[in-house]
């Protein structure tokens, strides 16, 4: 497996090459899309991207955890966590290793 990480700059460069916007316009577009997604998630909305997957925020209640090293019980406070469920198409593509 490759250790490459896809960055905002990579996305900006892809928009620049594929869509034909200037580099600055491409960067603004990528930032705008990411901002819309994060704003929706902060507001508790679900973000579904067809053929890709679904991002959602889940509320986890308080519970008692255990330190695995010492065995001591530790209270874990309630929190909101981000979850991602890939679509079946994305799962199939990843399993097959195809890029298109």
């Amino acid at each position: 497996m490759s250790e490459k990480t896809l960055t905002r700059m990579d996305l900006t460069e892809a928009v620049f090459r594929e869509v034909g916007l200037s580099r600055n316009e491409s960067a603004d577009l990528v930032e705008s899309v990411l901002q819309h997604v994060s704003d929706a998630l902060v507001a508790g909305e679900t973000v579904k991207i067809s053929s890709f997957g679904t991002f959602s925020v889940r509320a986890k209640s308080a519970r008692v955890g255990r330190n695995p090293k010492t065995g001591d019980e530790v209270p874990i406070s309630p929190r909101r966590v981000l979850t991602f469920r890939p679509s079946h198409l994305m799962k199939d593509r990843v399993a097959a290793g195809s890029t298109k």
Side-chain angles (χ1 to χ4, degrees), residues 41 44-48 54-59 81-85:
L41 291 168
E45 298 176 35
T46 297
V47 176
K48 183 174 183 176
T54 304
F55 295 92
S56 60
V57 176
R58 216 179 79 182
V81 295
L82 179 63
T83 61
F84 174 72
R85 286 194 48 131

Side-chain angles (χ1 to χ4, degrees), residues 5 11 18 20 39 41 43-44 53-54 57-59 65 72 79 83 100:
T5 301
L11 292 173
E18 297 288 326
D39 288 347
L41 291 168
T54 304
V57 176
R58 216 179 79 182
D72 295 341
R79 62 195 188 283
T83 61
K100 295 269 177 177

Side-chain angles (χ1 to χ4, degrees), residues 32-53:
S32 177
V33 168
L34 294 176
Q35 189 64 49
H36 277 78
V37 169
S38 65
D39 288 347
L41 291 168
V42 167
E45 298 176 35
T46 297
V47 176
K48 183 174 183 176
I49 302 173
S50 182
S51 300
F52 185 75

Side-chain angles (χ1 to χ4, degrees), residues 4-95:
K4 174 106 172 75
T5 301
L6 183 69
T7 64
R8 287 175 191 237
M9 201 59 168
D10 296 332
L11 292 173
T12 299
E13 190 63 28
V15 170
F16 169 71
R17 278 187 272 107
E18 297 288 326
V19 178
L21 296 175
S22 72
R23 279 197 165 83
N24 284 340
E25 290 171 331
S26 298
D28 290 343
L29 178 64
V30 169
E31 283 301 317
S32 177
V33 168
L34 294 176
Q35 189 64 49
H36 277 78
V37 169
S38 65
D39 288 347
L41 291 168
V42 167
E45 298 176 35
T46 297
V47 176
K48 183 174 183 176
I49 302 173
S50 182
S51 300
F52 185 75
T54 304
F55 295 92
S56 60
V57 176
R58 216 179 79 182
K60 294 185 99 177
S61 58
R63 61 189 174 91
V64 177
R66 193 174 301 279
N67 181 332
K69 192 170 188 177
T70 64
D72 295 341
E73 289 187 351
V74 180
I76 299 173
S77 58
R79 62 195 188 283
R80 292 170 25 140
V81 295
L82 179 63
T83 61
F84 174 72
R85 286 194 48 131
S87 71
H88 291 293
L89 291 172
M90 180 58 68
K91 284 182 185 180
D92 294 344
R93 284 186 60 196
V94 169

